Amino acid sequence: MPVDTHTHILPGIDDGSPNAAVSGKMLEAQKRLGIDKVILTPHFYLSQQSLDSFLEKRARAIEIFSPIAESLGIEARYGAEVLYTQSLADTELEKLCISGTDYMMIELPYQRLTNSFINEFRSFAGSLAPDIRLILAHAERYLDYTDENSLYEIMECDMLVQLNSGDFRMFSRHTGFMYELLRHGLAHLLGSDCHNTTSRPPNMDIAKKAVSKKLSPKLYARLDHNAEAVFEGRSV
Ligand SMILES: [Fe+2]
């Protein structure tokens, strides 16, 4: 399980790692779990900052982060977790794609997904294709705000779907939904969405154990392979 596709390890840019020391500890934790590739996905909220100021801030964070990752033998790609808003349509989204790829991670607003929102999102997603390929961040988390059917409708857009490893921890409505998605080939990627070393730590081992046991090691291996493909910018 070499790739963690969703992380907030980059220091001082969002509500994830606050500084180089914590980033180093998070990377060490990844290493202990056998992860040697991470995709950095700091939050980007267009309503709170301009694209340019985000990119400048991210570039400074990368300068601090890179030597730490290199010293631990961890390879990184730089992206963002982009919160969807209508005005994204007028933004140079290719700049937010995971470095060296045309994949961009998108997060839905935490609200009930109405039919009009679903239609709006679908036309947004359609307008990006084929230049930008979307990855829907942690599909299961929206269940706290909306129903399964609206999520299935959203997932009819041509995009990859990522699940959070920690949400496999206990059996809940979330895990039932996650296994359903995996059984039907509707979820493609696993990520830790780690923010720190305590309450939201690197934890890709949880998903590995759960998916291998509840579904199959072969399916887990496929997810692993998908993450590798995204890291390298190949099709899944
Ligand atoms: Fe995240």
Side-chain angles (χ1 to χ4, degrees):
M1 49 176 181
V3 185
D4 187 347
T5 66
H6 184 162
T7 72
H8 298 268
I9 307 183
L10 210 50
I13 185 164
D14 62 4
D15 59 341
S17 168
N19 54 48
V22 173
S23 297
K25 283 189 183 141
M26 291 172 81
L27 288 176
E28 283 165 10
Q30 294 281 26
K31 198 87 190 168
R32 283 196 294 277
L33 297 173
I35 303 289
D36 56 12
K37 292 179 183 137
V38 294
I39 299 178
L40 303 162
T41 50
H43 290 289
F44 174 65
Y45 304 120
L46 186 58
S47 62
Q48 291 177 17
Q49 67 183 138
S50 70
L51 176 61
D52 285 345
S53 88
F54 172 78
L55 293 174
E56 275 167 33
K57 205 171 170 188
R58 193 184 66 171
R60 286 196 296 274
I62 290 170
E63 271 179 42
I64 298 168
F65 173 88
S66 293
I68 308 169
E70 270 170 38
S71 71
L72 291 164
I74 290 185
E75 232 184 300
R77 295 272 189 271
Y78 307 98
E81 179 177 9
V82 180
L83 180 68
Y84 175 77
T85 68
Q86 219 168 7
S87 37
L88 280 182
D90 307 317
T91 309
E92 293 171 278
L93 293 179
E94 60 284 353
K95 292 183 176 173
L96 293 167
C97 287
I98 297 164
S99 50
T101 82
D102 55 7
Y103 288 107
M104 186 184 89
M105 182 170 277
I106 193 139
E107 176 179 39
L108 299 178
Y110 295 93
Q111 62 187 43
R112 192 173 73 82
L113 303 179
T114 60
N115 284 340
S116 77
F117 176 86
I118 293 166
N119 289 335
E120 178 191 309
F121 184 83
R122 278 185 180 168
S123 84
F124 163 76
S127 72
L128 301 181
D131 302 325
I132 294 176
R133 295 187 271 189
L134 292 178
I135 299 172
L136 177 66
H138 44 56
E140 76 284 1
R141 286 191 52 197
Y142 312 106
L143 280 183
D144 291 335
Y145 306 87
T146 199
D147 59 281
E148 287 187 13
N149 284 343
S150 59
L151 282 170
Y152 280 119
E153 283 186 51
I154 283 279
M155 286 185 285
E156 281 173 21
C157 296
D158 187 17
M159 60 185 174
L160 297 181
V161 170
Q162 180 257 318
L163 305 173
N164 274 5
S165 181
D167 285 331
F168 285 99
R169 191 178 283 116
M170 286 180 297
F171 194 80
S172 66
R173 196 159 67 97
H174 286 183
T175 47
F177 179 64
M178 291 157 91
Y179 287 127
E180 255 334 87
L181 293 183
L182 288 170
R183 276 194 198 100
H184 292 98
L186 295 172
H188 317 88
L189 297 167
L190 300 169
S192 70
D193 197 7
C194 57
H195 280 64
N196 50 49
T197 55
T198 51
S199 57
R200 299 181 74 182
N203 59 8
M204 289 292 282
D205 53 321
I206 294 174
K208 181 181 185 180
K209 222 182 197 170
V211 173
S212 304
K213 194 175 165 197
K214 182 94 179 169
L215 299 174
S216 73
K218 200 173 156 195
L219 176 57
Y220 178 78
R222 195 184 313 149
L223 298 171
D224 215 7
H225 182 80
N226 290 345
E228 190 81 33
V230 166
F231 195 85
E232 291 171 4
R234 289 185 278 111
S235 293
V236 165

